[in-house]
Amino acid sequence: MKKLAYMLLAGTVLWQACKSDADFLQRPPSNILEEDQVWQHSDLILSVLADLYDRYPDYNTNGNSTVSPSLENWSEFAQFDEAFASEAGQYGRHKWQNLDYNYPGQITSHDHFSTYWDYTYIRDLNQFIANDSSALAIPAADRTRYMAEARFLRAAAYFEEVKRVGGVPIITNVLTYDYSGDPSYLQHPRNKESEVYDFVLNELEGIKDSLPANADDKSRASKGAVLAMESRAALYAASIAKYGSTKPATLLPGGETGIPASMATAYYTKALKAAQELIAMNVYALYTKKSDNLADNFASVFYDKSSPETIFAKDYKLKSGKVEGWTLANSPRTSQEEQQGSRLDPSLNLVAIFEKLDNTFAPPAITNSDGSPKLYDNPMDLFADRDARLQGTVIIPGASFKGFTTDIFAGLQTPAGKVYSGADFGQIITLAEDGKPHQVVGVDGPIDNKELGTQTGFLIRKYMDPSIGSGRIGTQSEVWWIRFRYAEVLLNAAEAAFELGDAATAAGYLNQVRRRAGFTTDLLPAQITFDRIVHERKVELAFEGHEFYDMKRWRIADIAWNGLRMTAADVVSNLDKATRINTMVWALWPYKVLNPGGATDGKWLFKIVLPSNVTEAHRFQLGNYYSAIAQDIINNNPKIIKNPNQ
Amino acid sequence: MKKYIAGLLLLLTIAACKKDNYDAPNVTFNGRITYQGEPIGVASQQVYFELWQTGFGKLTPINVNINQDGNFSALLFSGTYKMDLPVGQGPYLPASGHYGDTSTITITGSNTMNIEVLPYFMIRDDNYSLADSVITATFRLDSIVKDPALAKAISEVSLYESTLDLLDAQNNKVATTLSGANITGLQQITLTLKVPPDQYVSQSYIFARIGVRLAGIDDMLYAAVVKINL
């Protein structure tokens, strides 16, 4: 019996040993899918595409952290004096003098601090597009859509590059090294800035009819997204052509930076045409679901995912691992769900520019004509009759979030001018005036140099998620990051029409956006000026990643951020001017009157304050109009030429 | 036997500790940015030129920042460097009048070398006087770059005051500015500035400096910082 067992065993071993080596070495892998397998199935191609969507370049990714875009990187929005960064590690945002030539930089895949230069992404997109002919097995409609989506993403990547560095090499095929020792055939010089914009616009024009002309899936490319990007890109190119000559030092003789002024009209025409085509689709509209409260209505634009205004967004989903912490980072202390929040505090610089509802500009009325502080019964009265977008964008003292009224005041002031304040949020001390305990500082702040409470007297509301749990580390939020929305397209159309000399059309688009913000008197065509256009974008699109690139393309960034110190008078003057100085974050602190038994007890007064962490004035140099191309990129490809003034 | 092993171990240990790192850069290269020997004032640490050294793999420029009095200093290895003035850096052009000419410099042992450039303007005959807590500065601007294709217009001239001797447009206590359009003649420009009263309490002296902003150039041209006794 034993013998038989041995024989069987030996036989088995011998039989196995004689199996062909070729079979053993060429087994199909069971843990990865190979390229030709992927291209047989529509679902598999879609998952490749999902990865490509995930790498879409958003706003400014900064080098001081890992690549974390938009809503996951609140501090980036404090870079340019729209807001104060109330977190000790981010005070540096207010202590730099000269903007780095690399800005907006990021750590690239090869661990180098550089501006956005992602040819890894572009190569993967090119590879996807080159596989068009491999995907014959899937339905033709799917294939057309996928290819158009990849070309949309490639156009987006080139647009983001040209926005930052000017002309870049346009590579549309898959570059592969042949290991010959001579890589020079892979080295391409920079295209002209206008050529890159033309490439982007032509690609978008070519794919717009291959994508769905509806708003069913806003996290994927659609005809609307294509047209919105087209109008924005054409507008950027147009304004660089028109205003570029005001800064001759930013132009390179080969056209790698700068666009000839003669091309401006054609680009403005394209911007207007694309915007009008989107408007005529009748798929998108301004959000007006909460028309009884226009500030709430404006705030809802960003968190209500059923908004007809959203055109293309980066989506998040609770319990999926893909959530964002904007609300966690920025919750007011009165409604916070963790021991943190209040990081992004809008500046008085921004708050002051919101108009009165009669279309006039006025600084917050904080003093009487005799110079004494003006007293208010309710702190919100100071901002009464203002553009509804103010309270849709900013939580002002006395406003509520998640049903909790904010408690923002810096101290108590006696009629004699003596000020009591505290070093802790909501501190209570017994005062000599009446021998009773008083709360001397708000639960939300402001306390100078105390992080995680407001330090400007304001808190951010835009993109804040009012749902329960959005401020918890373990839950966070699924509010999405809107890349394109209808109001921006209307403003694009208004700007393009204005620059083309058609002020009546411009006023028509501008007034649609303004009516939604509560303005009842329309602007007349004669009232439309460049300053008006700039102003409308500043207030409508604050904290949406437009400020830096808009100021750049209008070529006024070096005037607004001129490196000179701002005074308390500067922050409330020239409110309607596009070139208004904006180099330091100023605060507006509310105080309560302490006058026990007196008529004025408990009334509110306000003071303009410079937070002590704002030590330097920001300066944007001519060399910042085009970000620096990292030296290792130039070393690898000597055909790349440097940007000017660096 | 054990002794030998111990000895061998000791030898190995000593051998393992051999110094294998490079010496730190030890050669000081310093000098001044000048025009015909006259130093040129700039904003502190904001203007730079590049030194390039080839032959060591990665090609990365060494940016040498210039102090406010036109001095610079860099700690380098001995060797041959190429010096390049980047386009648009500084209120001046390279001495030849156009960019792109790199000059080769050889550095062996610490040495001093002035770099000649071609400034658009020179601030000369600057005088400061103090009366009734008002500083009056008079000076002359000499146009150096005459070629209309290269010359730059003056966009403004300013007088800066501070209690610290680090002084420029971004670092000052008070300033007064005269727009280029309001300058009547470059031969005699006068600027006045009131010293804030609080400085009389804490200070026995202050510093002042003239700055000239040129249209289309980031970096301003400055006169030397002067100390004024109160």
Side-chain angles (χ1 to χ4, degrees), chain A residues 213-368:
Chain A
N214 56 47
D216 294 347
D217 190 345
K218 290 177 174 177
S219 59
R220 285 177 71 179
S222 61
K223 185 175 182 184
V226 167
L227 291 169
M229 189 187 289
E230 204 178 334
S231 81
R232 191 193 287 177
L235 194 64
Y236 275 48
S239 35
I240 291 167
K242 176 157 187 202
Y243 298 106
S245 59
T246 61
K247 308 281 175 219
T250 63
L251 309 175
L252 283 177
E256 289 88 353
T257 64
I259 297 175
S262 58
M263 299 171 82
T265 306
Y267 282 128
Y268 279 125
T269 311
K270 277 187 186 176
L272 182 59
K273 189 175 148 279
Q276 283 175 332
E277 195 175 340
L278 184 140
I279 294 163
M281 282 170 71
N282 273 324
V283 171
Y284 305 99
L286 289 176
Y287 185 92
T288 50
K289 288 185 192 173
K290 299 182 182 169
S291 48
D292 52 325
N293 184 334
L294 292 174
D296 283 354
N297 183 67
F298 189 66
S300 308
V301 168
F302 302 94
Y303 64 76
D304 183 348
K305 289 194 177 179
S306 66
S307 159
E309 190 168 336
T310 309
I311 298 172
F312 181 52
K314 177 180 186 174
D315 206 355
Y316 296 87
K317 190 166 169 53
L318 288 179
K319 297 176 189 167
S320 72
K322 200 160 184 66
V323 292
E324 45 89 1
W326 182 265
T327 312
L328 169 67
N330 300 319
S331 283
R333 298 185 66 84
T334 36
S335 55
Q336 71 187 12
E337 292 166 277
E338 302 278 357
Q339 289 297 311
Q340 55 167 304
S342 307
R343 286 181 173 88
L344 193 65
D345 310 337
S347 61
L348 175 59
N349 316 26
L350 175 71
V351 169
I353 65 172
F354 285 87
E355 284 161 84
K356 309 271 275 184
L357 284 175
D358 59 1
N359 299 347
T360 60
F361 292 87
I366 59 169
T367 45
N368 293 315

Side-chain angles (χ1 to χ4, degrees), chain A residues 478-624:
Chain A
E478 61 181 5
V479 163
W480 56 16
W481 170 249
I482 300 175
R483 289 163 174 158
F484 293 96
R485 64 186 178 99
Y486 187 65
E488 186 216 332
V489 175
L490 290 176
L491 294 180
N492 292 348
E495 184 179 343
F498 167 75
E499 296 286 5
L500 290 169
D502 185 355
T505 307
Y509 292 127
L510 213 55
N511 284 327
Q512 287 186 42
V513 178
R514 290 172 61 83
R515 267 179 238 134
R516 196 260 302 258
F519 291 98
T520 46
T521 316
D522 281 351
L523 289 178
L524 302 171
Q527 291 174 297
I528 309 293
T529 59
F530 175 72
D531 284 333
R532 269 281 170 203
I533 301 274
V534 171
H535 167 79
E536 212 57 44
R537 286 184 80 92
K538 275 188 187 171
V539 294
E540 176 74 30
L541 305 173
F543 302 110
E544 294 180 48
H546 290 272
E547 184 198 21
F548 178 69
Y549 298 104
D550 276 348
M551 297 300 276
K552 239 167 57 135
R553 69 185 171 90
W554 291 317
R555 294 294 189 258
I556 53 177
D558 65 314
I559 306 173
W561 296 302
N562 60 9
L564 302 182
R565 299 185 73 84
M566 269 174 91
T567 62
D570 287 336
V571 71
V572 289
S573 38
N574 295 325
L575 297 172
D576 58 337
K577 295 283 183 291
T579 52
R580 139 188 170 81
I581 183 173
N582 192 24
T583 56
M584 303 173 97
V585 171
W586 282 78
L588 184 70
W589 285 5
Y591 288 81
K592 284 195 221 178
V593 175
L594 177 73
N595 186 9
T600 57
D601 190 48
K603 292 201 184 242
W604 296 70
L605 59 109
F606 295 84
K607 294 181 188 175
I608 296 178
V609 181
L610 183 68
S612 65
N613 279 302
V614 180
T615 56
E616 301 299 339
H618 291 163
R619 178 162 174 235
F620 180 103
Q621 293 172 275
L622 293 172
N624 291 115

Side-chain angles (χ1 to χ4, degrees), chain B residues 132-152:
Chain B
D132 292 338
S133 82
V134 171
I135 308 170
T136 305
T138 57
F139 59 99
R140 184 177 100 220
L141 281 176
D142 289 345
S143 172
I144 307 295
V145 176
K146 297 255 168 39
D147 180 356
L150 298 173
K152 301 282 177 194

Side-chain angles (χ1 to χ4, degrees), chain A residues 363-500:
Chain A
I366 59 169
T367 45
N368 293 315
S369 50
D370 62 356
S372 61
K374 191 168 173 150
L375 302 181
Y376 288 89
D377 293 334
N378 181 329
M380 294 177 72
D381 293 346
L382 177 63
F383 303 99
D385 300 325
R386 293 236 171 204
D387 186 336
R389 288 171 293 189
L390 170 60
Q391 291 199 45
T393 307
V394 176
I395 300 173
I396 60 170
S400 304
F401 181 66
K402 287 187 180 176
F404 293 88
T405 304
T406 52
D407 184 22
I408 301 175
F409 69 96
L412 302 178
Q413 181 167 329
T414 65
K418 186 172 168 55
V419 173
Y420 291 101
S421 192
D424 287 312
F425 298 114
Q427 195 174 352
I428 295 171
I429 52 178
T430 304
L431 300 182
E433 267 69 12
D434 58 359
K436 289 184 187 146
H438 287 271
Q439 185 190 339
V440 290
V441 67
V443 173
D444 285 308
I447 299 170
D448 190 48
N449 195 25
K450 187 143 176 103
E451 62 169 351
L452 308 182
T454 177
Q455 293 187 45
T456 62
F458 303 106
L459 292 156
I460 180 77
R461 181 167 187 199
K462 198 175 257 191
Y463 280 115
M464 292 288 278
D465 181 356
S467 57
I468 303 297
S470 59
R472 284 184 209 143
I473 292 170
T475 311
Q476 303 194 32
S477 173
E478 61 181 5
V479 163
W480 56 16
W481 170 249
I482 300 175
R483 289 163 174 158
F484 293 96
R485 64 186 178 99
Y486 187 65
E488 186 216 332
V489 175
L490 290 176
L491 294 180
N492 292 348
E495 184 179 343
F498 167 75
E499 296 286 5
L500 290 169

Side-chain angles (χ1 to χ4, degrees), chain B residues 65-85:
Chain B
N65 288 321
I66 300 165
N67 292 335
Q68 64 177 5
D69 56 1
N71 274 315
F72 59 83
S73 172
L75 209 54
L76 303 169
F77 293 112
S78 295
T80 304
Y81 293 84
K82 278 191 172 141
M83 194 198 67
D84 187 31
L85 298 175

